[in-house]
Every structure is written in C-alpha cells, then in structure tokens.
C-alpha cells in the first residue's frame, strides 16, 4: 500500500515536470479566446465541423448584459463580459457578422415556474470550457450546468438543489430575426418540433426550418407549453386574462405553434440530483432529428459523449505539432486552429439526407454535405488551410459546392443551411475550387465546376444571380458607381469589381490547367481591369462614374470602421487599393515602381490605414515580399500584428473571426507560410513563431508525408529571416509553390534579430 | 324537336302553379334568418350536424362593418348588416355567445397580390343562401363565390375575371382568441396544416388544434407563404425591411409556423374561369383531414356536393310536415328546425377517430361522436326535440356524453371539441339524459351515466369540477353569496343552486326509475331547497349571505340586459324566480296560492320583466297552464311572443340562438307542445300555428309511428283552445306525457278567438 502511494506521487510529478512537452494539442485550446472584442466566437460545446453546438446564451433579458442582441447590431449568442444567462442555444454560428440561429434555448431553473426570460435568467460563475464541453453554475438557483455534444446532438447535465426543478425549452426567442415554430409533446419525457430560422444579414427570403427532438431522463411531475399572447385590444383585451402575457397551457398535449412558444418540465429533485437532457436536430425532418439522436447517443451517457468530443478534437488538432514558442503562442495557435474547424459544418443527417440547395427537396449524400460557406471571407485563407491540412474535408466541401450548383444552378456565395444569403460580393467559389484543383486535389467534377464558373462569369446581368452588375464589367472592364445602390454611399462597385478580377484571374488559371487557352486569355484580360480604378492623383483605387470620370470629391480614408464610402464595401480605398493579389507587380508599376509601392504600403501600416480584421487588406503585410530586399518588412509587420492583435485572452482576435478567416491568418502567419493570392497555388514565406512545426499531411492525398518547418529562435527578437533552406537546399525566394513545398518536406528558416535588406 | 320545347314549357308552368303546395321543407329555410339582432346564426354552407361549415366572414378589417369582432363583444363570423368580406371561414359555431373557431379564411382576389386583410377584403352583392349552399359576388374583383360542404369537407367555386387571380388562405386571423398555426406546402396544388383554437368564453385552458388539407384544381403560376412580422425594436427594427409588415415567403417550401401566417396561390385566369378549392378538416390529424376529404369528395364536383347537401337537409327537415299557417310561419318554422340541426355536430373522422375528452389521446367510435354541447341552453328544449324527432341522434349524443365521462371522469357542461369550457353553470347532463331515458330511449349505458350523476351531485366541492360550490348546497340546501366570485356583482350563487335543484329533481326521477329509492328521496329533498331563496318581502328569489340572512339592499330588477347582479347569472331575480319547473305548485303555494302566482307571472309579462332570449325564463309562458282556468294566458303569451319576436327576416330570432334553444322554443311553441320541465317526460300544450302538423316518428324507436296534430284555424285570431282531443278522446288537461302522446298518435285542438277561463 505504501508502494502504491509512491507510484501515484511519481505520476503527479511526471505530469508537472514533463507536462509542457507532453501536452496534447487539445489542451492548449481556450474556447474563451475570441468571445469579446466583437470576434463573435463562443465557448460552447461542439465537435469538429459539427452540426450541433451548445452555447451559453447571454445576450438578452437584462441590463446586466453590456451587449444586448436587440439594443445594437449584434451577431453572437455569447459575450464574455455579459452576465445574464438565459439558457443554452442549440445550433449556432461562430464568427459571423449577422444575427442568425441561436435558438432552442434550454434553461434549468428552480422553484416556482416562471417562463419569462426577463425573470428566469440568472447570473453565473465558475465558467469552464474545453473543446466539446462547457460548464457554469447559476447563481440564482445553485444549479450546475454542463453541456457537451456529438455531431448532430447535444446532452446537458444539470445538477439541481433539493426542491422543484424546472427545465424550459424556449422556442420563441433567440438570435435569429426569423420567428415561428412548433412543438409537440410526444411522451412525458420527449418533445419534438421545429423552429423557423433565416433572414441572415437581412436577406428576408433565406428562410429554413430546423427540426428537433428533445428528451429528459427523469419523469417529470408536470409538463406543459407556454405561448406569449399577442397584445389584444378592445373587448378581447379586457376579457382575456392572458392578454400580452406568457400563458401556460397546462392541459394541452397536441401541437403548439406560434411566435413565442416554449415547453416546460417540472421535477421533484433531491439534493444534488442530476437530470440529463438530450436533443437531436436535423434540417430535413423531425424523424431524422430523432434518428440522429438515437444513432449518436444510443444511451444517456454524458461523460462518454464528452470524452468522445474531446478526443475528436485532439485528433483533429493533431494535424499540426508545434514546438517552441511561448505557452501563450501555443494557446493562440491551437485555439485558432480550433476556430477554423467549426464552419463549414456538416448538414446531412446520419442517414445521409440533407435539404437540397434553394429547394424543398431532400437529397442524399454518401460523403459529408457541408453548409455555412462564408466564402467572401474564407476563400482568402481558410480553404487553403483545409487543402493543406484537411484535404479530405476540403474535397467534400468542394463536392458540396458543386452539388449546390447542380441543384439550383449557382455556386454558393454565402450559403447557409441550403439557402443563399447573397451576403458580401464577388464570385469566391472560383478561387476556392481553382486553388484546390491547382494544388492537386482533383477528385471532384471539375468540368461541372468550370461550367458553373463560366456561367457566372459570362451570363448577362439580368439573369446573373452571382454577378448582378457584370454587364459593364464585361463591356468596359469595370463597374461604374450608382448601378444598383439607392445612393452612392451604399454603392460597392469597386469592391465588386475587385472580387471579379481575383475570381477571373483564378478562372484563367483553371482554364489553362484544363487546356482551355482561349478562355484563359479572356479571363486573364478581364482580371487586369483593376487599372481602370487607379487614380494617379490619389495613388489609390477610386470609384468611377458611368461617364468614365472618377468620383469627385473623393476621400480615400472614408469607409473605415464600417462607415459607408461610395464604391467600397465595409472599408476605405486604402483597405482595397492593394487588393489585386494576382497583379502585384503591375500594381507596383502603375504606382511608379517597386519603391513607390513599398513606401506607400509601409505608410498604410505607419499611418494606421491598415485594418487587421478586414479581409481585403489582411494579406497586405505579405506583399512586401514580392520585391527584392523588402521581405523583412513582411516579417516585421506579421510579427508586430501577431503580437498586437492575437492574444491568449477573450479579446485575442482583432475582430470578427469571419468563420475562421482571422484565425487562419494567425495559423499561417505563425507557421511561416501565407497564401496571399487566392486561387494561386503558392505561399509567401515569413518567420514562424515556433522553433519547429510539423504538418502531418494526409498520406492519402500527399504521399510524401509530413512537412517539417524549422526556425530555431535565438531569442524572442529573432523575427528576421537571414536564410531559407527548402528540402535541404538553400532557397532564395520568399515565395514557394505548394507542389515544391510538399515535395521538399522540410523548410528551415535561419533567423536573426536584425533585418536583412537583401 | 318542337314537341320537346312544349314539354319544357309545361314543366316550368307546373313549378310555378303548384310550387306553393309542393314545396319541400328545405325550400322554406332562409339561412339569413337569425343573422342579425345578436342571434349569431350565419348563412354559411353546412350539412346537418356537419363538422365542416363554410361561412362568409365579414366582421373584421374595415369601418364598413357596423360590428367588428374586436371593437366589442362579438361571437359570430357574419353579421347581416356588415359589408366588408374577408373570406370564407371553415368550421364555425352557430348561435353561441363567445367568439370561437371561424378561422382558415379563404379569400379569392384579383390583380396584384396583397395579403393584408385590411386591403384585400371587398364589399359584395347578390348574396344567396339555401341549406348547404351560399354565394355572393365580390364588388372589388368581380369574382363570384360559391361554397358548399360535406360533413367534414368543403368545396368553393370561384369564377374569376380575366387576369391574375389569387386564392389566399389566412390562417392567422379569425374569430377565436387563440393564436398560432402551421401550414406546409405539399405540392403545387395542395397544402396542409393546423390551427390552434380554443379559449372559448375566455377559458384560457380549453385549447385544441384543428388540422386541415386544402387543394386547388388548377396549377398555380406562383405560390408562397406570408407571415406578419412582429414589430422589432432597436437595430433589428431599422434593418429588417419587413419589420411589422406582412412578409411574403416566395422561395420557401417547408413548414411555416407562427401567429399570423397564410398561404397564397396565384393563377392566370381566362374570363369566367372557375377554380375550385377543396378542404378537409379533422380534429385528430392532418392524415385524417386528407382521408376525410378524399373519402367525402373523391372527385372535384361542386354541383354534386351541393345537391347532396341540399337533399340531406330536405331529408332531415322532413321529419315534420306542416300544413296551414302563413308562408312566413312555415319559413320561420323550418329555418328554426334547420338551426336545431347544426349543433351538437359530429367530431369523428371518416375512420371513426376522434380526440378523447380532455386528453391528447385518440379514440375510435362506431356511431357518431358528437361535440359542441351548449348544455345549459340546450337541456331545456333542444334535446327534447331530438328525443322526439331524431331519437337516433339523441342516443348518439347521450352515448357521446357518457364516453366523455368515461374518458375524463366528468359529464360535459359546455363541451367544445374535446375540451370542457365550464361555461355557465349547473349539471345539465342530468336532465338531458334522464329526460331521454324516461321517454323510453334506453339503448345506452344508464348505469355509468347514473354513476357520473351521483359523482357530481355528491363529491365535495374541493374535488368537484361540475359543482364547485356544492358543499353549502348539500349542507344547507342553498349556496350563499360570495363563495367564489371576487366581488358580489360577479357572484352567481342563486343561479348555480337553481340549476342544481333542477338537476337533482331529474336525478331523483332517474333514481326512481332505476329502483334506487333512497337516492331518489335524497335528491328529491335537495331539489326543494329553492325555498331558501324565496323572499316574502320582495316576492322573488333573493340571494342569501353565509349567515343565512338575505342580501340587503336588493333590487329584483337588477341584472337585466347582461348587467351584473349579485347572485344571478346574466339575468335579474325576475328572470329566475319562476325557474323551479319541477316545483311549480309549491312555488305557487309559497307565493300565497295559484292566483298570486298567476298574477305575479302575468305582471312579469305586462311589466316587461320577461326576456324572450334568456334561458331561465323562456318556459314562463307555459307555467300558467299548471293552474285551472289559466291556460289561456299561456296560449295568449305564446302567440304574442311568436308574433313579436320570431320573424322570417334576418332579425327574426329574439337574441342569441344558443345552439338552437331559441329555435327549439319556436318549433315546440308552433306545434303546440312545450317541454317546460327538463328531465320530466311531459309537454305542456298550447295552440299550434299550423292547421296540421305531422311528426314522422322514427319507427325504430317509436313503432306506433306518426303523430298528427290538428288545429284547424278559423282565423288568424283563433289562438285559444276550447277543446283538446287526444287519440280520438276528449282530453281535459293541458299537460300530456310523452308516452301518452306517442300512444295516442293524434292530438286535435279546437280553437276559438275568445279565451276560455275554464
């Protein structure tokens, strides 16, 4: 027995001593990173690319919350600094800029039943979050809440105090602006129903239903529905004692429908009694929601679900091993990688069924059918990360996109659960799929993809859903101001055209690869139309009028911080001027030469014209490296930006994570590679923050296997590259092709504290 | 060919010449009678005791309507003097005092789609209504609307002008105060869904769903949903362009749910093109609604459905033949009979399924399962009419009531689609079933009925749903003021007790018939407790306090016209004082003797203290006949009341028809018989308005067959009876038992213009 004790002590010592080295990737993840500073991530429980997520909801019901979902533009179910919790939302979005989903709010309470969230919410303490698990304790009720999830189902474990415990499912309130739902009692312990969702980014037609089945594992003493009654006028208002109130339906057991409805279970609880609640969801049917729940949780076993979710996360995050760097950098890094593995998420049920794109029909898939494509964001770096590290996922995502085209005739732009929301602009599917193809992942129907691309690139405006202003673009090479917006301030013509140039450049590359030389020439020519917007007077891009003249007066700084500026969408001319990633050399040329380019770009950083959270300019720091002797500026700026904006704290992401785009920027930047030209199979190199990075490539797609990136840091100040070795040979360039990197298998940076000018 | 033409002409001539004599009962029915004057009948299409009714809805949306459903207490889907039509309601109530049902508003429009009923409604002209058919023409659109129905389904035929035609199903608005529903597109031409209903008479818990399936017979050019968006505040309100408006869902094809939802079909119509719309309903499931529609309308054949409904009505109304009287009297009579054949209506689907009482469970029946029991009203005369003329229906109604008791432990009081609404007071199932049993209809489980009666008559208040104030009634023989109501003005204690006396008298009669002598004595003793309320000071019944003293001050006229009076429900002490129908002789005794009784009763009529539309006093005119030499007063008053209050015009019913109770009063009064003591198998005789009435009794239940009532009128002023012959023999009494009447088979009144005092 004594011996046994020693063994335990020895074990603890091992953990303490070798803990740092032995730590698993998942252990570095801090789901609270990105939960404030408008990064709109959340600490909820979710599996990698899971359809289900279970997220503490704290953005309504009380002045205790600093940020209220209705008091301002708000798009997250959770805010780190808020205090008033009103339940767990089921199925949410992470890192998006518009309010959507975040419904089916499950709340445990104690004592007399109250179904008004303005009353039943509670402050909380003791928050804990690791991948796949979240817990807190509700101050008002002394209830401990724990949640975890599978791909399509959730399980909550609530530990009650002695007395009456209640479990409320609020189907009315949530983050979405869409309303309406149905719930039906199936048995004492099971309910089913659906909730309408959609209108993402105020696209009023992008509506879809979510179906659910929910079970409790203890027989309740009472169950019932509630519905907030409309405010009635006249005689009705005088007589109806429930007028404008939450009415309880205590003796009703059939379908309930309406705008603000809910269901409650009440229990007699012993001290410390645990009640578990399971929910399955589906976007196809209630039957599928039930099948999903039963398949993924054949028993009620919270700890097992939690363990599986955790292990799944560790496996997913283990595609990269990093060594060196600080503890904080490792936390930042793996949390960023975690954030890239949330969206796109799977859409299909366990039986393979999913809602077809823009259709009431149901399809069936063998692989994963993905949804939540925030492509204007993610085409810049997220899909490049998938192509490199998760080629299996990326291929399923590409196949899903092509299926969407087959189903309704257009590639996705900002697809959400089978509906196209038309958020932001451009034709981002082209660079995503081209990039994938050119990097050698080709197990998809590229001809159909190409057909879709040519369709959106050439169909006249009136019939063109993807590029509704393509007519002048095709005729003159640019889009003049004032074609679509009611007033100039809401016009995004330059932003639109810049996206088309990037897409058409990618399309020309794909055409080349497919042997379509004439197409390639045509699209390459179109891709250079950006020069129409270049104003020598201001040295920036500048909106043009229909008569060919530049917009006057013009302020290139207008449009920062989400104010409106004519021609530019959510940004200033400075945020867009360098966004011709496929034509950097030519851009330098029109600017007067490399030095003028570099000086101007340096001014963008020096004069605070750079927005680290705005997609069009996030590749700016890498553009220095296109010019001889200027790569140190890339290394300097990337190091500075990482240091300044990425932190192992809740405010550790510079802004909206945009479905992983900010996180992918950090990941690539921290390992020394960045894909600064979407659709081009290359990376720009910079200084890694880690001494050693191992990319465990999937040998089914990359038979050469792991890539090791080494960068022994002499000090924290060793941020400059003095030499590069690729595949054991000196490498002179700061750009490397995907194929060469894969083939080389090793990449070594020799670092110094003083920057090199050559 | 020439010959053929003559034949047609001859046929027309026949119709014109012999039309009056050959007229069928159904031809006398004018569904517009009772559609104003707060009688709350409607001219819609319905089959005898049909679940489905299709009713023009004109009580919302415009100041053109004199009566708006929300501007005042209002309980009818239609008002004769209103002008603004907003569609056809499906499944409605006739002659009830609280707003309920009247939803699924189907509206044809023309031109651009507008789904706001404040805009899309129309004035109309050319209204036509015969049993089972209604038509009008919409002035705004030039659309002719025709509707007809089967037991559980409807068919509408809309004749459009050339151009865009629209068919809207408004699932949000209606007469009920309950909200919420669901609708789902099944195909281009079919939708399905449900609507929550209930809260009848502001019983907030009496909620139930109605399921429907609807089909159009032409392929639409466009379909979609609408939902009125809640008014949003803050940023949502600024950004959501549909904020507070009717939003169209043009590209959505799954389930829609919410408070104010609807579905539209648009068509390209040729001039005069007819589009037919069919709807099936069920209170069990959507599947049953579809099965009902398919079974009852296997094809789309408007004229066939209309013909069948008409023939069904004629068959139902032909149970009585009347000869003589004026044309107006025949119209009044058959329309009254029509009004008694609407409720109770069947509840079960074609497959026999129905929602069990106060349960989410589904039952199956072989006979008809009836619903809509307005028993506080109909126990007085409607069920007596059914027992005499429609014994098959009455037996199914009794069996349905007993099943309800078996299903949830209580007899119905005011049952509505499987929910007990607890409207009005008393224990009316007892007199209904006792009356049926004592009149010889005994093919039901009388022992279970008796068990139910004893339960409600003896269970202490705290567990007694039917008689919640029975404790003092059992202890002291009366209910003191102030037991339940928050203030005295809302207290109905005397009214409650009076109902219990009547019920317990009936129960004593049933106990006697079942050989339960002790029970019979007990309940007979209880039934005489009314004397506790008799105030010598006022000569009326008068509320009592808990200390046994009478309420002071007291105004026996208070409570008229639906104002509140302590102790009395919807009436004054005068409306209730003579309501001890089982103890008239004793009442006369406490009043000082027959003459005092007669004088006082006469004063009630002379001083306008009688309310012809208030149930407790409607048998008053018959009470004179209990006393020697006073029967002429009955004959005089009945003739006067019929003349004054019953007319062949829309205002031809004195007030709320109360599910046929006013109509049944007219029917019995017009044929010379009135069942003035519910639960007692007797009729009081009075002067018929017809020369000859033949009651075609159902020989399965009354093997003796038809009863002929003859009353040859020398003149319209021949309203007094000078002699009665029953079964060919002189008859001295003005009261006859049901058994004697059946046996006699003939009843003859000899009339005179001068009343007899002997």
């Amino acid at each position: 027995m004594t011996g046994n004790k020693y063994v335990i002590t020895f074990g603890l010592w091992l953990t303490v001593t070798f803990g740092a080295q032995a730590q698993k990737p998942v252990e570095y993840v801090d789901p609270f990173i990105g939960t404030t500073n408008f990064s709109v991530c959340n600490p909820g429980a979710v599996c990698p690319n899971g359809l289900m997520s279970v997220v503490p909801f704290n953005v309504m019901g009380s002045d205790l919350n600093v940020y209220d979902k209705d008091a301002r533009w708000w798009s997250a179910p959770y805010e780190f600094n808020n205090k008033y919790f009103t339940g767990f939302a089921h199925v949410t979005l992470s890192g998006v800029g518009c309010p959507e989903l975040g419904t089916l709010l499950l709340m445990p309470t104690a004592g007399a039943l109250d179904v008004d969230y303005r009353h039943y919410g509670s402050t909380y303490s003791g928050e804990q979050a690791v991948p796949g698990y979240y817990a807190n304790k509700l101050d008002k009720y002394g209830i401990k809440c724990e949640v975890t999830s599978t791909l399509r189902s959730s399980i909550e474990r609530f530990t009650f105090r002695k007395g009456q415990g209640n479990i409320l499912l609020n189907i009315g309130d949530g983050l979405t602006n869409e309303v309406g739902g149905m719930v039906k009692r199936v048995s004492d312990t099971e309910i089913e129903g659906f909730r309408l969702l959609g209108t993402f980014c105020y696209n009023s037609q992008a509506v879809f239903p979510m179906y659910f089945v929910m079970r409790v594992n203890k027989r309740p003493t009472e169950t019932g529905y509630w519905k907030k009654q409309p405010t009635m006028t006249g005689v009705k208002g005088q007589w109806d004692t429930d007028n404008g109130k939450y009415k309880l339906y205590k003796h009703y057991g059939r379908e309930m429908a309406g705008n603000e409805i809910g269901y409650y279970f009440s229990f007699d609880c012993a001290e410390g009694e645990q009640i578990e609640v399971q929910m399955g969801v589906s976007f196809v049917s209630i039957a599928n929601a039930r099948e999903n729940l039963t398949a993924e949780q054949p028993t009620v076993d919270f700890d097992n679900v939690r363990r599986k979710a955790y292990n799944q996360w560790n496996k997913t995050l283990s595609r990269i091993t990093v060594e060196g760097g600080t503890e904080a950098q490792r936390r930042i890094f793996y949390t960023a990688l975690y954030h890239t593995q949330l969206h796109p998420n799977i859409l299909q049920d366990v039986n393979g069924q999913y809602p077809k794109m823009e259709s009431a029909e149901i399809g069936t898939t063998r692989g994963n059918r993905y949804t939540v494509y925030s492509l204007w964001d993610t085409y810049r770096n997220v899909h490049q990360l998938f192509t490199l590290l998760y080629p299996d996922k990326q291929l399923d995502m590409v196949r899903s996109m092509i299926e969407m085209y087959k189903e309704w005739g257009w590639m996705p732009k900002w697809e959400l659960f089978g509906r196209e929301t038309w958020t932001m602009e451009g034709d981002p599917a082209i660079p995503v799929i081209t990039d994938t193809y050119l990097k050698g992942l080709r197990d998809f129907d590229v001809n159909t993809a190409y057909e879709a691309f040519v369709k959106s690139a050439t169909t006249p405006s009136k019939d063109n859903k993807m590029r509704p202003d393509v007519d002048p673009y095709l005729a003159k090479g640019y889009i003049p101001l004032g074609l679509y917006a009611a007033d100039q301030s809401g016009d995004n013509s330059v932003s639109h055209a810049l996206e088309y140039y990037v897409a058409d450049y990618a399309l020309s590359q794909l055409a080349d690869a497919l042997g379509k030389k004439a197409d390639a020439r045509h699209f390459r020519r179109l891709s250079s139309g950006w020069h129409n917007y270049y104003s020598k007077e201001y040295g920036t891009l500048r909106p043009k009028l229909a008569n060919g003249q530049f917009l006057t007066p013009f302020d290139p700084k207008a449009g920062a911080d989400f104010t409106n500026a004519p021609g530019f969408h959510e940004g200033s001319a400075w945020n867009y001027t360098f966004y011709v990633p496929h034509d950097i050399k030519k851009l330098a040329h029109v600017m007067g030469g490399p030095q003028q380019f570099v000086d101007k770009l340096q001014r963008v950083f020096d004069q605070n014209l750079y927005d680290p959270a705005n997609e069009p300019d996030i590749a700016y720091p890498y553009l220095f490296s296109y010019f001889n002797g200027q790569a140190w500026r890339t290394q300097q700026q990337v190091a500075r930006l990482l240091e300044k904006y990425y932190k192992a704290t809740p405010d550790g992401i510079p802004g909206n994570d945009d479905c992983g785009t900010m996180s992918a920027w950090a990941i690539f930047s921290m390992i020394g590679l960045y894909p600064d030209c979407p659709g081009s199979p290359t990376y720009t190199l910079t200084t890694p923050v880690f001494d050693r990075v191992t990319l465990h490539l999937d040998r089914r797609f990359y038979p050469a296997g792991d890539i090791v990136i080494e960068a022994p840091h002499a000090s924290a100040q060793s941020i400059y590259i003095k030499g590069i070795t690729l595949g054991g040979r000196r490498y002179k360039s700061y750009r490397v092709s995907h194929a060469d990197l894969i083939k080389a298998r090793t990449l070594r940076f020799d670092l110094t504290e003083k920057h090199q000018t050559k």
Side-chain angles (χ1 to χ4, degrees), chain A residues 37-350:
Chain A
N37 195 35
F38 302 99
S39 302
V40 290
C41 299
N42 66 64
V46 59
C47 286
N49 307 101
L51 180 53
M52 174 60 87
S53 51
V54 194
V55 176
F57 193 84
N58 68 0
V59 292
M60 70 176 189
S62 168
D63 291 342
L64 291 173
N65 293 331
V66 183
Y67 302 95
D68 182 275
K69 74 182 180 71
D70 296 330
R72 54 170 298 147
W73 186 284
W74 190 256
S75 64
Y78 176 90
E79 218 295 331
F80 186 75
N81 295 299
N82 278 355
K83 303 288 179 206
Y84 187 78
F85 170 87
T86 44
F88 289 99
H90 291 77
V91 185
T92 61
L93 296 174
S94 174
V96 301
C98 295
E100 192 49 75
L101 299 164
T103 60
L104 303 183
L105 304 177
L106 185 71
M107 179 76 188
T109 71
L113 185 70
D114 188 329
V115 300
D116 183 343
Y117 67 87
R118 289 171 194 82
H119 307 152
Y120 69 59
S122 172
T123 60
Y124 49 97
S125 48
E127 275 192 298
Q128 264 185 284
V130 294
Y133 176 82
Y134 170 90
N136 68 19
K137 188 155 182 180
L138 304 185
D139 300 335
K140 188 168 174 178
Y141 305 116
I143 298 169
K144 179 164 188 193
C145 305
E146 298 170 281
V147 307
T148 182
S149 67
T150 70
L151 282 173
R152 303 168 184 88
S153 75
S154 61
I155 179 165
E156 274 96 347
R157 180 163 65 190
F158 301 123
T159 307
F160 286 92
R161 307 293 308 268
K162 182 173 168 56
Q164 181 173 336
N166 311 295
I167 289 175
L168 318 179
L169 184 68
N170 180 342
I171 299 154
D173 299 293
L175 202 54
T176 182
N177 292 331
E178 186 56 63
V179 294
M182 189 277 279
V183 56
K184 183 183 172 190
R185 182 184 197 278
V186 176
S187 73
D188 268 4
T189 55
E190 182 170 320
I191 57 176
E192 63 182 29
F194 67 85
R195 173 65 157 88
L196 268 83
L197 301 168
T199 72
F200 182 74
C201 290
Y202 297 98
N203 179 324
S204 74
Q205 294 301 306
V207 174
F208 50 93
M210 175 169 67
Y211 306 91
F212 69 92
V213 166
M214 190 182 115
R215 293 174 186 153
V216 295
N217 74 336
K218 175 183 164 85
R219 192 160 299 275
T221 53
E222 193 188 318
T223 63
Y225 302 87
W226 77 77
K227 179 163 57 194
K228 192 171 184 196
Q229 303 297 299
T231 301
M232 304 171 188
T233 53
V235 166
K236 274 187 185 180
Q238 291 164 36
W239 277 84
D240 195 312
T241 52
D242 297 303
N243 184 21
K245 297 182 190 164
Y246 287 89
K247 167 172 158 183
L248 296 182
Y249 295 72
K250 293 187 165 218
H251 310 293
Y252 180 71
R254 312 295 296 280
E255 289 89 345
M256 171 61 63
N259 289 356
E260 296 187 68
I261 60 173
Y263 194 90
Y264 66 89
F265 301 84
S266 293
F267 305 89
D268 274 340
C269 294
E271 179 65 28
E273 183 166 357
Q274 295 190 324
I275 299 178
E276 279 151 314
V277 183
Q278 295 168 297
M279 188 188 293
V281 292
S282 162
F283 288 77
V284 170
S285 67
I286 288 171
N288 279 13
R290 184 173 286 109
E291 190 178 342
N292 289 342
L293 174 55
T294 305
E296 297 185 352
Q297 293 192 57
T299 61
V300 183
D301 189 342
F302 185 93
D303 293 326
N304 184 43
V305 172
R306 176 185 173 178
R307 190 181 320 112
K308 280 187 173 170
Y310 192 77
N311 292 342
Q312 239 178 296
W313 272 115
N314 194 54
K315 192 175 164 200
T316 296
L317 300 174
S318 296
R319 294 257 173 126
I320 309 188
T321 311
V322 298
E323 293 161 75
T326 64
E327 166 81 12
Q329 283 170 331
R330 290 190 294 272
R331 300 189 81 78
I332 292 163
F333 181 81
Y334 279 114
T335 304
L337 191 57
Y338 169 86
H339 282 139
T340 64
Q341 303 303 305
L342 301 173
H343 301 304
N345 53 266
I346 61 159
L347 175 60
Q348 87 280 0
D349 294 317
V350 289

Side-chain angles (χ1 to χ4, degrees), chain A residues 558-601:
Chain A
D561 297 327
F562 287 84
T563 56
N564 279 346
F568 298 101
H569 195 180
E570 296 182 2
S572 71
W574 285 112
N575 300 137
Y576 277 96
T577 286
F578 295 87
Y579 193 57
V580 286
H582 54 291
D583 247 357
I584 292 301
K585 291 288 172 73
K586 266 198 206 147
L587 180 64
H589 179 71
V590 302
M591 283 180 173
Q595 195 56 51
Q596 283 77 359
F597 177 100
V598 167
D599 289 348
K600 192 181 291 187
L601 188 58

Side-chain angles (χ1 to χ4, degrees), chain A residues 331-454:
Chain A
R331 300 189 81 78
I332 292 163
F333 181 81
Y334 279 114
T335 304
L337 191 57
Y338 169 86
H339 282 139
T340 64
Q341 303 303 305
L342 301 173
H343 301 304
N345 53 266
I346 61 159
L347 175 60
Q348 87 280 0
D349 294 317
V350 289
N351 62 14
Q353 292 186 328
Y354 65 91
K356 285 191 179 178
M357 187 68 186
E358 290 290 335
S359 167
E361 284 177 28
I362 302 306
T364 305
T365 181
R366 285 171 159 243
N368 279 325
R369 167 76 171 211
Y370 282 94
T371 186
V372 187
Y373 284 87
S374 182
L375 289 169
W376 180 85
D377 302 302
T378 59
Y379 89 88
R380 297 165 203 271
N381 57 27
V382 174
H383 289 283
Q384 289 83 335
L385 183 74
F386 297 159
T387 294
L388 183 61
L389 287 176
Y390 305 93
D392 47 346
K393 286 187 192 180
Q394 175 63 11
L395 275 169
D396 265 343
M397 288 176 193
V398 167
R399 289 184 201 114
S400 296
M401 292 165 76
I402 294 168
E403 285 303 309
M404 289 176 199
Y405 166 73
K406 287 187 187 167
E407 287 159 9
W408 84 298
W410 299 95
M411 279 284 167
K413 183 181 272 184
W414 212 125
E415 181 271 354
L416 188 72
F417 292 89
R419 303 309 302 257
E420 179 50 61
T421 69
W422 303 117
T423 305
M424 302 307 289
E425 57 264 303
D427 205 342
I430 297 178
V432 167
I433 294 180
T434 296
D435 195 277
T436 309
Y437 188 81
L438 296 181
K439 286 175 179 165
L441 301 183
R442 298 187 172 185
D443 186 12
F444 61 85
D445 181 357
V446 72
N447 292 319
T448 298
Y450 190 79
E451 172 192 309
F453 299 161
V454 171

